Amino acid sequence: MIKKLLIALSFISVSLMFAQKNSDQQAVADASEKLRLAMLSRDKNALESLILPELTYGHSNGHIDDAKEFVEKLVSKQSNFLNIENTNQSIQIVDKTAIVRNHLYGKTADLGKEPGEVNLDILYVWSKTKSGWKLLARHAVKVEKNK
Protein backbone atom coordinates (compact mmCIF):
# COMPACT_ATOMS: atom_id res chain seq x y z
CA MET A 1 0.00 0.00 0.00
CA ILE A 2 2.78 2.46 0.90
CA LYS A 3 4.63 1.57 -2.31
CA LYS A 4 1.51 2.38 -4.38
CA LEU A 5 1.07 5.65 -2.50
CA LEU A 6 4.70 6.65 -3.14
CA ILE A 7 4.36 5.81 -6.85
CA ALA A 8 1.17 7.88 -7.06
CA LEU A 9 2.79 10.82 -5.26
CA SER A 10 5.81 10.61 -7.58
CA PHE A 11 3.54 10.63 -10.62
CA ILE A 12 1.62 13.65 -9.30
CA SER A 13 4.86 15.49 -8.52
CA VAL A 14 6.27 14.89 -12.02
CA SER A 15 2.95 15.93 -13.59
CA LEU A 16 2.96 19.17 -11.60
CA MET A 17 6.56 19.92 -12.66
CA PHE A 18 5.65 19.51 -16.35
CA ALA A 19 2.53 21.64 -15.91
CA GLN A 20 4.59 24.42 -14.28
CA LYS A 21 7.22 24.26 -17.04
CA ASN A 22 4.52 24.51 -19.74
CA SER A 23 2.90 27.39 -17.85
CA ASP A 24 6.26 29.19 -17.60
CA GLN A 25 6.97 28.63 -21.30
CA GLN A 26 3.60 30.14 -22.21
CA ALA A 27 4.18 33.08 -19.85
CA VAL A 28 7.59 33.74 -21.47
CA ALA A 29 6.06 33.49 -24.96
CA ASP A 30 3.41 35.99 -23.86
CA ALA A 31 6.05 38.35 -22.43
CA SER A 32 8.04 38.08 -25.68
CA GLU A 33 4.97 39.03 -27.69
CA LYS A 34 4.24 41.96 -25.36
CA LEU A 35 7.83 43.15 -25.87
CA ARG A 36 7.42 42.95 -29.67
CA LEU A 37 4.22 44.99 -29.51
CA ALA A 38 5.72 47.53 -27.09
CA MET A 39 8.71 48.00 -29.40
CA LEU A 40 6.36 48.69 -32.30
CA SER A 41 4.14 51.10 -30.35
CA ARG A 42 7.09 52.72 -28.54
CA ASP A 43 5.00 52.64 -25.35
CA LYS A 44 7.43 53.72 -22.63
CA ASN A 45 5.38 52.32 -19.74
CA ALA A 46 4.90 48.97 -21.46
CA LEU A 47 8.61 48.76 -22.33
CA GLU A 48 9.69 49.60 -18.78
CA SER A 49 7.26 47.05 -17.34
CA LEU A 50 8.88 44.25 -19.36
CA ILE A 51 12.55 44.85 -18.56
CA LEU A 52 14.80 44.73 -15.52
CA PRO A 53 16.84 47.82 -14.58
CA GLU A 54 19.98 45.70 -15.14
CA LEU A 55 19.06 45.05 -18.80
CA THR A 56 21.94 44.67 -21.22
CA TYR A 57 20.64 44.96 -24.79
CA GLY A 58 23.15 43.95 -27.44
CA HIS A 59 22.75 45.09 -31.03
CA SER A 60 24.06 43.27 -34.10
CA ASN A 61 26.62 46.05 -34.63
CA GLY A 62 28.17 45.32 -31.23
CA HIS A 63 26.71 48.31 -29.36
CA ILE A 64 25.28 47.52 -25.92
CA ASP A 65 22.40 49.57 -24.49
CA ASP A 66 21.45 49.71 -20.84
CA ALA A 67 17.78 49.73 -19.83
CA LYS A 68 17.40 53.50 -20.02
CA GLU A 69 19.11 53.77 -23.42
CA PHE A 70 17.04 50.87 -24.82
CA VAL A 71 13.75 52.57 -23.87
CA GLU A 72 14.79 56.08 -24.89
CA LYS A 73 15.99 54.99 -28.34
CA LEU A 74 12.62 53.39 -29.05
CA VAL A 75 10.50 56.20 -27.60
CA SER A 76 12.46 58.87 -29.49
CA LYS A 77 12.36 56.85 -32.75
CA GLN A 78 16.14 56.76 -32.85
CA SER A 79 15.44 53.05 -33.16
CA ASN A 80 12.12 52.81 -35.01
CA PHE A 81 10.59 49.51 -36.04
CA LEU A 82 7.76 49.66 -38.56
CA ASN A 83 7.20 45.94 -38.28
CA ILE A 84 8.74 42.98 -36.47
CA GLU A 85 8.21 39.35 -37.41
CA ASN A 86 9.56 36.74 -35.00
CA THR A 87 9.88 33.17 -36.26
CA ASN A 88 11.52 29.90 -35.21
CA GLN A 89 11.17 30.73 -31.53
CA SER A 90 12.43 28.27 -28.93
CA ILE A 91 12.08 28.65 -25.17
CA GLN A 92 14.13 26.79 -22.58
CA ILE A 93 13.33 27.22 -18.89
CA VAL A 94 16.11 26.72 -16.33
CA ASP A 95 14.87 27.41 -12.80
CA LYS A 96 13.84 31.09 -12.84
CA THR A 97 15.62 31.87 -16.11
CA ALA A 98 14.29 31.53 -19.64
CA ILE A 99 16.49 31.34 -22.70
CA VAL A 100 14.63 32.40 -25.82
CA ARG A 101 16.02 32.23 -29.33
CA ASN A 102 14.27 33.43 -32.44
CA HIS A 103 14.72 34.91 -35.85
CA LEU A 104 13.65 38.54 -36.25
CA TYR A 105 12.88 40.18 -39.56
CA GLY A 106 11.90 43.81 -39.36
CA LYS A 107 11.49 47.00 -41.32
CA THR A 108 12.96 50.13 -39.80
CA ALA A 109 12.77 53.89 -40.21
CA ASP A 110 15.30 55.12 -37.66
CA LEU A 111 15.63 58.90 -37.24
CA GLY A 112 18.18 60.34 -39.63
CA LYS A 113 18.55 57.13 -41.64
CA GLU A 114 17.05 55.69 -44.79
CA PRO A 115 14.32 53.09 -44.25
CA GLY A 116 15.87 49.66 -43.93
CA GLU A 117 15.46 46.04 -43.06
CA VAL A 118 16.97 43.90 -40.34
CA ASN A 119 17.44 40.15 -40.54
CA LEU A 120 18.66 38.89 -37.15
CA ASP A 121 19.04 35.85 -34.97
CA ILE A 122 18.43 36.84 -31.36
CA LEU A 123 19.11 35.42 -27.93
CA TYR A 124 16.99 36.74 -25.05
CA VAL A 125 17.43 35.99 -21.36
CA TRP A 126 14.30 36.43 -19.24
CA SER A 127 14.19 36.32 -15.45
CA LYS A 128 11.16 35.26 -13.41
CA THR A 129 10.28 37.89 -10.82
CA LYS A 130 7.39 38.33 -8.40
CA SER A 131 5.68 40.51 -11.02
CA GLY A 132 6.28 38.17 -13.97
CA TRP A 133 8.97 37.48 -16.55
CA LYS A 134 11.33 40.42 -17.21
CA LEU A 135 13.98 40.82 -19.90
CA LEU A 136 17.50 40.75 -18.45
CA ALA A 137 19.61 40.43 -21.60
CA ARG A 138 19.33 40.39 -25.37
CA HIS A 139 21.90 39.96 -28.10
CA ALA A 140 21.46 39.96 -31.86
CA VAL A 141 23.61 38.79 -34.76
CA LYS A 142 23.07 39.63 -38.42
CA VAL A 143 21.98 36.83 -40.70
CA GLU A 144 23.18 36.62 -44.28
CA LYS A 145 20.34 37.16 -46.75
CA ASN A 146 20.94 33.86 -48.52
CA LYS A 147 20.64 31.87 -45.28
Side-chain angles (χ1 to χ4, degrees):
M1 178 67 174
I2 292 177
K3 188 175 182 180
K4 288 182 181 179
L5 182 60
L6 289 175
I7 290 171
L9 288 174
S10 295
F11 178 75
I12 291 169
S13 177
V14 169
S15 296
L16 290 173
M17 282 186 347
F18 282 118
Q20 180 61 45
K21 185 174 182 179
N22 288 340
S23 173
D24 281 341
Q25 285 183 326
Q26 186 58 54
V28 171
D30 292 346
S32 295
E33 177 61 7
K34 287 178 185 174
L35 178 65
R36 184 186 77 82
L37 295 172
M39 290 174 69
L40 288 169
S41 68
R42 295 174 303 282
D43 181 329
K44 184 175 183 175
N45 291 330
L47 289 164
E48 290 175 340
S49 76
L50 292 164
I51 64 174
L52 288 169
E54 300 85 2
L55 175 68
T56 176
Y57 188 91
H59 295 272
S60 61
N61 66 4
H63 181 79
I64 307 291
D65 290 342
D66 62 18
K68 183 178 178 183
E69 191 175 12
F70 163 70
V71 172
E72 290 305 316
K73 280 183 176 178
L74 287 166
V75 171
S76 70
K77 293 188 179 182
Q78 187 178 350
S79 179
N80 185 21
F81 285 96
L82 301 176
N83 97 332
I84 298 173
E85 296 173 22
N86 291 326
T87 58
N88 298 329
Q89 184 162 281
S90 68
I91 300 172
Q92 180 183 8
I93 306 291
V94 181
D95 295 325
K96 293 184 179 211
T97 303
I99 300 166
V100 178
R101 292 180 182 272
N102 68 22
H103 178 79
L104 181 150
Y105 170 79
K107 292 188 178 182
T108 60
D110 299 346
L111 279 180
K113 295 182 181 175
E114 293 291 321
E117 296 179 355
V118 291
N119 195 23
L120 308 168
D121 282 335
I122 303 186
L123 168 70
Y124 302 87
V125 179
W126 293 83
S127 183
K128 189 174 188 178
T129 70
K130 290 179 183 178
S131 59
W133 289 92
K134 307 292 182 185
L135 187 63
L136 174 62
R138 181 255 200 197
H139 197 77
V141 295
K142 290 180 185 173
V143 176
E144 298 296 323
K145 288 189 180 195
N146 61 0
K147 191 173 181 181

